[in-house]
Amino acid sequence: MNRLQLSLGCCDYDRTRALFDGRVTVEGCDLLPLALHPEEIFHRAFNGQAFDISELSLSSHTVMTARGQADYVAVPAFVSRVFRHSGIYIRTDRGIQRPEDLAGKTIGVPEYQITANVWIRGMLQDDYGVRANQVHWRRGGVEQAGRQERAPLQLPGDIDLAQIAPNATLSEQLANGELDAVFSAKAPSSFTRGAPNVGLLFPDFKQVEQDYYRRTRLFPIMHVIGIRRALVERHPWLPVSVYKAFNQAKALAMTELAQIGHLYTSLPWGVSEYHASRALMGDDFWSYGVEANRHTLETFLRYHHEQGLSPRQVDIAELFDASTLDLSKN
């Protein structure tokens, strides 16, 4: 039988590396993996389905699913998860002492729809009472001018979202005071270079994020893995095979993180951090699968709808291929 020749657009994480180096394969397939940054992957996937298998923004996938226009079918391999209290950069001269002080402020975002910002806005609403319609949102590239939404948005009228000047960036507007804050998955250069009056809302974000997990049991999901819908229609066995491969790759990464005899990461105390994460969050702290993540996914989909990104609250089952929701057991 001829094997499927499939391209994979995905970041080269420790939990996906075995798919890049060939230790794990997708049964019945030959993979051509391309190690790219998420922004490029998403842009190419949502503008032409560039990859057969692609890392996808959970938020953008939800936008397109709600509209019935998703070109990719997802499997519940959550290759990117990040606590996002660390992604709130503020002007320290604007009286922003607490999260509640962000109400009424002008805040820059690279895109309103990016998953990191859905989680940040949801956390601000649930924990501090700051709703999306209480902020003036300004969109643009963090470091490069002209960034737009990767999927077109249809926001409700009470959401104030406007594009910044075509030659401006969020980082420079935060530095010169045109913005009160920036929500970004990546640190703006105005912060990393130590520009005056630019800082973090939560300087002790690790402690804050650990407390957030204890209270909410949420480890925010950022990205899923998608397969081109046309491929799934021709090869209905493919989603489970892809999902199994990503699970196998993650299992290898976790084994390596626990290896203290010779360190797989360039962090002197990485093994200790691995065990501390297990103690706080459970043995399978980076879990894949719908059932293990139902609370997190339901919370995200509620946020997505409340923030005007989806006109209705999408059901979890709509996001993923049905065959991946209940795998066979030994």
Side-chain angles (χ1 to χ4, degrees):
M1 181 188 298
N2 292 331
R3 296 170 64 85
L4 288 181
Q5 308 294 309
L6 301 179
S7 59
L8 167 65
C10 187
C11 197
D12 183 13
Y13 305 108
D14 62 348
R15 50 206 169 270
T16 60
R17 189 152 303 138
L19 290 160
F20 286 87
D21 63 26
R23 286 178 294 157
V24 171
T25 61
V26 177
E27 54 198 7
C29 304
D30 292 324
L31 282 185
L32 174 62
L34 290 84
L36 303 168
H37 289 291
E39 289 86 353
E40 180 177 356
I41 297 169
F42 300 161
H43 181 80
R44 293 170 68 178
F46 285 102
N47 291 275
Q49 305 173 53
F51 312 105
D52 297 316
I53 305 168
S54 182
E55 187 172 353
L56 298 176
S57 155
L58 175 58
S59 178
S60 297
H61 180 57
T62 303
V63 167
M64 303 310 288
T65 298
R67 296 178 186 172
Q69 298 173 346
D71 293 321
Y72 285 87
V73 177
V75 302
F78 307 121
V79 293
S80 179
R81 309 181 73 139
V82 189
F83 293 103
R84 288 303 187 189
H85 294 70
S86 59
I88 304 177
Y89 302 89
I90 62 167
R91 291 286 306 188
T92 58
D93 58 352
R94 300 294 165 82
I96 304 173
Q97 302 294 325
R98 308 170 304 151
E100 293 89 339
D101 298 328
L102 291 169
K105 296 296 191 288
T106 300
I107 299 177
V109 290
E111 296 179 42
Y112 184 82
Q113 73 184 276
I114 64 172
T115 310
N117 288 340
V118 176
W119 280 110
I120 291 173
R121 289 189 298 260
M123 173 270 294
L124 290 173
Q125 173 184 288
D126 281 3
D127 287 1
Y128 305 104
V130 180
R131 298 187 303 278
N133 62 3
Q134 294 177 297
V135 168
H136 306 291
W137 303 103
R138 297 297 176 260
R139 179 182 57 217
V142 178
E143 304 295 340
Q144 293 181 304
R147 182 169 176 175
Q148 300 277 346
E149 303 285 343
R150 66 178 63 98
L153 297 184
Q154 300 166 358
L155 297 176
D158 64 342
I159 300 296
D160 176 21
L161 174 66
Q163 192 77 13
I164 64 174
N167 60 345
T169 68
L170 299 183
S171 181
E172 66 187 24
Q173 288 201 341
L174 184 64
N176 66 27
E178 292 181 73
L179 295 171
D180 299 310
V182 166
F183 292 176
S184 174
K186 293 183 177 181
S189 59
S190 52
F191 172 77
T192 57
R193 71 171 185 265
N197 299 314
V198 174
L200 288 169
L201 177 63
F202 296 106
D204 57 344
F205 59 82
K206 181 178 178 180
Q207 180 178 335
V208 174
E209 289 168 351
Q210 288 177 333
D211 175 67
Y212 170 81
Y213 181 79
R214 291 187 187 97
R215 290 186 293 104
T216 67
R217 314 312 288 180
L218 295 170
F219 183 15
I221 293 168
M222 298 294 137
H223 305 162
V224 297
I225 294 298
I227 308 167
R228 284 199 296 115
R229 185 175 298 277
L231 269 173
V232 174
E233 290 170 352
R234 291 199 302 271
H235 307 288
W237 52 269
L238 187 56
V240 168
S241 295
V242 169
Y243 181 45
K244 286 168 57 181
F246 275 87
N247 271 287
Q248 291 163 15
K250 177 175 73 88
L252 285 174
M254 293 301 166
T255 298
E256 292 171 353
L257 285 177
Q259 174 58 256
I260 200 166
H262 54 279
L263 298 178
Y264 277 82
T265 68
S266 302
L267 296 171
W269 296 283
V271 176
S272 175
E273 185 68 22
Y274 167 73
H275 289 298
S277 296
R278 292 177 69 204
L280 174 64
M281 303 171 66
D283 290 345
D284 190 16
F285 60 87
W286 200 297
S287 57
Y288 289 177
V290 166
E291 286 310 314
N293 291 281
R294 183 168 293 277
H295 169 54
T296 301
L297 290 165
E298 286 177 345
T299 301
F300 174 81
L301 293 172
R302 172 171 64 85
Y303 289 164
H304 204 264
H305 176 55
E306 290 172 344
Q307 295 170 26
L309 284 161
S310 43
R312 58 180 178 83
Q313 187 160 327
V314 175
D315 186 80
I316 293 173
E318 297 178 65
L319 296 176
F320 304 104
D321 187 82
S323 66
T324 64
L325 303 182
D326 184 22
L327 300 186
S328 63
K329 298 177 177 62
N330 294 326

